[in-house]
Amino acid sequence: MEHNIKLNQKNLGEISKRISCPTYDRSQLKTGIVHIGIGGFHRAHEAYYTDQLLHNTAITEWGICGVALLPSDTNIYNTLKAQDGLYTLMVKEFDGSLTKRVIGSITEILFAPANPIQVIQKMASPEVKIVTLTITEGGYNYNEATKSFDKENPAILHDIANPSAPKTVFGYLTQALKLRKENGSKGFTIQSCDNIQGNGDMTKTMLLSYVQMAEPSLVAWIEKQVSFPNSMVDRITPATSPKDIERLQTEAGIDDAWPVVCEPFKQWVIEDDFVNGRPLWEAVGAQFVEDVVPYEKMKLSLLNAGHTVLGVLGALSGYATIDEAVHDTQISMFLKHYMDTEVTPTLADLEGVDLEAYKASLLQRFGNVNIKDQIDRICSESSAKVPIFVLPTVTSNLESNRSIDFAAFLIAAWAIYSLGKDDNGVDLNIKDAMATTLHDKAVVASNGNPTAFLEIESVFGQLKTSERFVEAYTSAYQNITKLGTKKSVLNLNNKNLNTI
């Protein structure tokens, strides 16, 4: 390689001699999609699908405007702005090779905190027909205890008081839809791409709860003019590391300040409910169906919950990456038992899905040694993930008097994890909006009151009132405290084998 070259539109011709690049004319694209939350997953998933579609040069109306919503998104905004929205997708194949391509579907970048009006006006533009979201599970302002919108959130109260300078996605969507109504424009489709069962239904409920508070006269118009399709999304996308950036420089001679790393597998199942047109994503591998629920329930309760199992047990065991955890025979067996005995009985109506093959594929994907998905990334924001990925399985099994031992063990391990140290006394890197609350309750739990951790109602709801769960949880907590994670996992695995 003669020299490294910076990734931007001006250099795209030269870069195309080195790796695969967009062959369509990006300057001719209209912005049909606004995407809020331009992190790694969006860029490995929706933006990738859309890039592939745009290679059909007859399609010009589906360029993406990426919105960086939060002040913490400054770095990704500055990086993508400097690179004209371009970035490299690095697919880490199972054999260790790297498939590299430049993605060009993000044609505009906006930074909401610096210019909220610009973002509102962009979403209100008639050419925008879809607003998609990756705002993480915690971004929906849902309170597990009340099963409803958190009306007391200071950011929500700020948006109601300052409609032209919102901080939350709900403030932006409401003002954009209000402007579309005033301008006589059609509504748009709001499509969540987050890991929430019924993510479209959740988005609708939460948005209308906000609108009822902020702009009640808008509710009826939204119900007629806006659709909220459910979807199931899947592609493991670990955080980009300095080594990934260096590898791209070494192998391709390209200076990309923030490439995206992902696994080869990808899946996108979408409810076909769009009010103002949509891209033909099915032409590049997406699947449109009448009912997404069975697919997303399968994915959330197996893949996402499986990640949480590997993350928490792996962290306590001293592992740094998910592949290390899944290659621990006992942790892998624990996950198999959890999926087979506690999750599988809750799944039904999976037409065309080979569930056993899907579970086997998860273990292969988790074990991809080239992905190196950091355990602290997987464990981040567990307070938002556990209620979505794990607790519905617990609830179903309690109602049907089925096994809850593995889920109870996981929650007990999470309580011990929340103390901030692994089994060897090494500090854990805990990233969670509720980290202080989790730690405080974990400390009380460690002082002879294990069930104190279950008292966090915004996470666990009324789970503490289930005697059967509390008994299993307390037993697991005491075993982990006394024997350590690895020995306790071994004992539970052996107990399960003896009861089959």
Side-chain angles (χ1 to χ4, degrees):
M1 205 63 65
E2 292 180 5
H3 64 282
N4 283 1
I5 185 167
K6 288 191 179 298
L7 178 57
N8 55 42
Q9 183 65 39
K10 182 181 71 173
N11 295 333
L12 205 54
E14 186 174 344
I15 291 170
S16 67
K17 298 173 185 175
R18 304 182 181 188
I19 67 171
S20 176
C21 288
T23 56
Y24 49 88
D25 185 349
R26 299 175 75 229
S27 68
Q28 296 302 306
L29 298 179
K30 297 176 183 176
T31 302
I33 302 168
V34 169
H35 182 80
I36 299 176
I38 45 174
F41 180 76
H42 165 69
R43 294 189 289 143
H45 197 263
E46 178 190 335
Y48 165 78
Y49 278 94
T50 305
D51 171 83
Q52 296 307 289
L53 186 64
L54 292 172
H55 279 84
N56 178 343
T57 53
I59 298 171
T60 59
E61 70 270 35
W62 297 114
I64 298 171
C65 172
V67 175
L69 184 68
L70 305 172
S72 57
D73 296 331
T74 301
N75 287 346
I76 186 66
Y77 166 75
N78 288 336
T79 299
L80 286 176
K81 191 74 174 172
Q83 295 182 178
D84 302 316
L86 296 166
Y87 61 93
T88 313
L89 187 67
M90 302 164 65
V91 181
K92 292 191 172 181
E93 309 291 350
F94 284 109
D95 65 4
S97 64
L98 200 63
T99 302
K100 303 175 286 289
R101 66 173 69 240
V102 173
I103 304 298
S105 53
I106 300 176
T107 55
E108 295 180 73
I109 311 286
L110 300 178
F111 186 52
N115 196 337
I117 293 296
Q118 184 183 26
V119 173
I120 291 168
Q121 290 176 338
K122 185 68 192 178
M123 288 196 287
S125 167
E127 71 177 15
V128 171
K129 296 175 171 60
I130 302 172
V131 175
T132 55
L133 312 174
T134 46
I135 55 175
T136 77
E137 298 82 9
Y140 290 81
N141 197 47
Y142 177 76
N143 185 305
E144 180 67 24
T146 63
K147 306 289 184 186
S148 63
F149 190 75
D150 182 2
K151 297 179 179 180
E152 305 303 318
N153 182 341
I156 295 297
L157 298 176
H158 167 275
D159 284 8
I160 291 171
N162 302 275
S164 61
K167 292 182 178 179
T168 75
V169 67
F170 304 105
Y172 279 99
L173 289 170
T174 300
Q175 293 308 308
L177 289 167
K178 182 181 179 184
L179 196 53
R180 289 178 84 101
K181 180 187 176 187
E182 290 171 353
N183 293 341
S185 300
K186 286 184 177 180
F188 49 57
T189 298
I190 302 175
Q191 184 178 8
S192 168
C193 298
D194 282 302
N195 288 316
I196 296 173
Q197 189 169 343
N199 54 13
D201 298 335
M202 169 72 84
T203 306
K204 180 178 182 178
T205 300
M206 296 298 102
L207 177 62
L208 288 177
S209 296
Y210 175 83
V211 174
Q212 192 68 57
M213 296 170 66
E215 300 282 354
S217 62
L218 198 57
V219 170
W221 187 86
I222 290 175
E223 288 179 332
K224 290 180 182 177
Q225 291 283 336
V226 180
S227 67
F228 302 82
N230 293 305
S231 71
M232 184 266 260
V233 298
D234 192 1
R235 192 169 213 179
I236 295 172
T237 309
T240 303
S241 72
K243 286 185 178 179
D244 296 319
I245 295 172
E246 290 169 17
R247 186 175 177 185
L248 182 61
Q249 292 170 333
T250 302
E251 292 189 11
I254 295 169
D255 284 334
D256 182 340
W258 208 325
V260 178
V261 174
C262 66
E263 65 168 337
F265 181 92
K266 63 185 184 302
Q267 189 174 20
W268 197 6
V269 183
I270 313 167
E271 182 184 3
D272 201 353
D273 181 20
F274 290 73
V275 294
N276 201 359
R278 66 164 178 82
L280 295 171
W281 281 314
E282 64 267 43
V284 288
Q287 182 181 1
F288 284 90
V289 299
E290 286 187 21
D291 184 10
V292 175
V293 171
Y295 300 91
E296 61 189 0
K297 184 178 180 183
M298 175 188 75
K299 188 255 180 173
L300 293 172
S301 57
L302 289 171
L303 183 141
N304 295 109
H307 254 154
T308 298
V309 168
L310 295 172
V312 173
L313 301 186
L316 287 176
S317 300
Y319 298 126
T321 61
I322 289 295
D323 62 290
E324 290 173 353
V326 84
H327 285 114
D328 180 309
T329 305
Q330 291 302 322
I331 292 179
S332 180
M333 187 177 293
F334 180 104
L335 178 56
K336 288 178 185 174
H337 288 327
Y338 173 69
M339 292 194 297
D340 290 344
T341 64
E342 297 189 7
V343 180
T344 298
T346 71
L347 301 176
D349 305 321
L350 291 168
E351 187 176 339
V353 174
D354 183 336
L355 197 55
E356 295 307 310
Y358 180 78
K359 288 186 287 187
S361 77
L362 291 183
L363 292 166
Q364 181 190 31
R365 292 166 63 195
F366 291 149
N368 186 339
V369 296
N370 303 298
I371 288 291
K372 295 297 176 195
D373 207 351
Q374 295 295 312
I375 277 176
D376 61 6
R377 183 190 83 86
I378 291 300
C379 290
S380 69
E381 306 304 333
S382 287
S383 63
K385 294 174 178 176
V386 168
I388 295 166
F389 304 159
V390 179
L391 296 189
T393 297
V394 173
T395 300
S396 176
N397 287 333
L398 285 172
E399 289 173 351
S400 300
N401 201 30
R402 294 187 294 255
S403 169
I404 44 89
D405 288 348
F406 288 90
F409 187 101
L410 171 63
I411 301 301
W414 182 34
I416 293 166
Y417 164 91
S418 298
L419 289 168
K421 292 186 184 294
D422 69 14
D423 284 359
N424 298 313
V426 178
D427 287 345
L428 295 168
N429 180 21
I430 296 179
K431 308 169 191 172
D432 199 300
M434 292 186 65
T436 301
T437 301
L438 293 167
H439 181 265
D440 290 349
K441 288 292 188 181
V443 169
V444 177
S446 70
N447 288 323
N449 183 16
T451 56
F453 193 69
L454 300 178
E455 293 170 2
I456 309 172
E457 285 194 4
S458 62
V459 174
F460 297 110
Q462 295 302 308
L463 189 58
K464 66 183 179 183
T465 63
S466 167
E467 289 184 18
R468 192 158 76 90
F469 185 86
V470 168
E471 182 181 346
Y473 162 88
T474 304
S475 174
Y477 188 97
Q478 291 169 343
N479 284 334
I480 299 168
T481 303
K482 181 180 177 182
L483 303 173
T485 305
K486 288 193 173 187
K487 184 68 186 298
S488 301
V489 166
L490 173 65
N491 288 348
L492 183 57
N493 285 336
N494 288 340
K495 177 185 174 185
N496 187 72
L497 287 173
N498 291 334
T499 57
I500 291 176

